[in-house]
Amino acid sequence: MIQRIQSLYLLLAAAAGAAALSFNLWKATLTNNAITYVNAASNYLLFVLYIIVILLAVVCIFLFKKRKLQFRLTVFNILFAIAALAYQYLVVQQTANKLSAGGVSIVSASYLPASFLPVIIIILLFLAARGIYKDEKLIKSLDRLR
């Protein structure tokens, strides 16, 4: 199970998703020296998207005997990770607009390193899907030789 490289990619994607849940994604310093953070736990839909990404990656690890299902779920997981990345960007933009509309101006705002974890998740899930596809192709070619 874990000796397959795609299982390692799926495990790393799940770990990156858990890290994205626990760290702050964006930081803004306001004119009154208050600091505002955006994290996945502060937004319900973003939290649910990351939980789905983590759970699908973990479930796919244990589906190593059902490669077609594992491949499909990994592709769906890539779509969920893309949705999480897009929604994360939208949440940050909405927070910045809400702060500006509230009469408080932002002195400095920056994305934190954890905000790039969804990109890493997408890359790891793509590599896992590619490995699953190669395994399925190899098994089909071996079945032809029998």
Side-chain angles (χ1 to χ4, degrees), residues 99 101 105 124 145:
L99 289 173
S105 59
L124 289 170
L145 292 175

Side-chain angles (χ1 to χ4, degrees), residues 60-127:
C60 285
I61 291 172
F62 296 106
L63 292 174
F64 58 93
K65 289 188 179 181
K66 300 176 183 177
R67 284 176 299 281
K68 288 182 183 180
L69 179 61
Q70 187 182 34
F71 179 76
R72 284 188 198 125
L73 287 179
T74 304
V75 170
F76 282 131
N77 205 1
I78 291 170
L79 296 176
F80 280 120
I82 291 171
L85 177 65
Y87 190 68
Q88 173 184 315
Y89 176 76
L90 183 67
V91 166
V92 167
Q93 293 304 316
Q94 285 177 347
T95 305
N97 290 339
K98 197 180 297 181
L99 289 173
S100 297
V104 180
S105 59
I106 299 173
V107 175
S108 68
S110 63
Y111 282 96
L112 298 175
S115 64
F116 299 105
L117 285 173
V119 175
I120 293 171
I121 292 170
I122 293 168
I123 292 169
L124 289 170
L125 289 173
F126 175 76
L127 291 172

